[in-house]
Amino acid sequence: MTIDDHLRLHRNLKILRRVANYTQSELSEILGICRTAYSQIERGLRLPDINTIQQLSQIYDVPIDMLLNCDVSDILAHHFLRRDKEQEEALLELYGHMSTDAQEQLLRRAEELCHLDMLKRIRENT
């Protein structure tokens, strides 16, 4: 594993854990390792063994290859597009029933929420 792969893996794991709303303690308990060991994996101080990588792949419902070789944005798109397909279809149906004015208001509000969410994530990562 190259240094870039190692950096990508620990960054991906950290972000995926946060998106999935796990604490390090909760995730380490699921994995059957101590929290310190998991913390070291996320900080890039330790490489996870193959069993841990397999478990993480199952927890996040993402292929191992994606955990190791893709940036987190690709992983999240894969994960959430698969998981939220039914919700997406329901939202699109509701959106189709809205007036043009209501659709425009909804889009403006969604853009505001995305911006606020991005700022929140930046603050959490600093």
Side-chain angles (χ1 to χ4, degrees), residues 25-109:
S25 295
E26 290 168 334
L27 197 54
S28 62
E29 188 174 317
I30 293 168
L31 295 170
I33 61 177
C34 69
R35 192 202 60 76
T36 304
Y38 185 78
S39 174
Q40 290 173 343
I41 291 170
E42 273 194 9
R43 291 188 346 242
L45 302 175
R46 177 184 194 155
L47 281 173
D49 62 29
I50 190 64
N51 291 330
T52 302
I53 292 174
Q54 286 176 325
Q55 286 178 292
L56 290 164
S57 169
Q58 291 172 350
I59 289 167
Y60 298 126
D61 193 23
V62 174
I64 291 173
D65 184 53
M66 217 172 214
L67 277 178
L68 299 174
N69 299 316
C70 293
D71 286 326
V72 75
S73 59
D74 295 331
I75 295 170
L76 292 173
H78 169 83
H79 179 72
F80 287 110
L81 286 177
R82 286 185 55 209
R83 194 178 79 182
D84 294 337
K85 188 70 174 165
E86 290 176 12
Q87 273 187 330
E88 181 180 319
E89 289 171 359
L91 286 170
L92 287 173
E93 185 177 338
L94 289 172
Y95 182 81
H97 293 293
M98 298 172 104
S99 69
T100 304
D101 185 49
Q103 288 176 346
E104 289 173 5
Q105 288 178 33
L106 179 62
L107 287 173
R108 279 193 303 272
R109 183 63 179 143

Side-chain angles (χ1 to χ4, degrees), residues 5-40:
D5 293 338
H6 186 182
L7 292 172
R8 184 174 30 255
L9 175 62
H10 82 81
R11 183 180 60 239
N12 287 347
L13 292 177
K14 182 177 185 177
I15 293 171
L16 284 170
R17 178 183 56 79
R18 287 180 173 173
V19 168
N21 287 322
Y22 285 113
T23 64
Q24 286 185 346
S25 295
E26 290 168 334
L27 197 54
S28 62
E29 188 174 317
I30 293 168
L31 295 170
I33 61 177
C34 69
R35 192 202 60 76
T36 304
Y38 185 78
S39 174
Q40 290 173 343

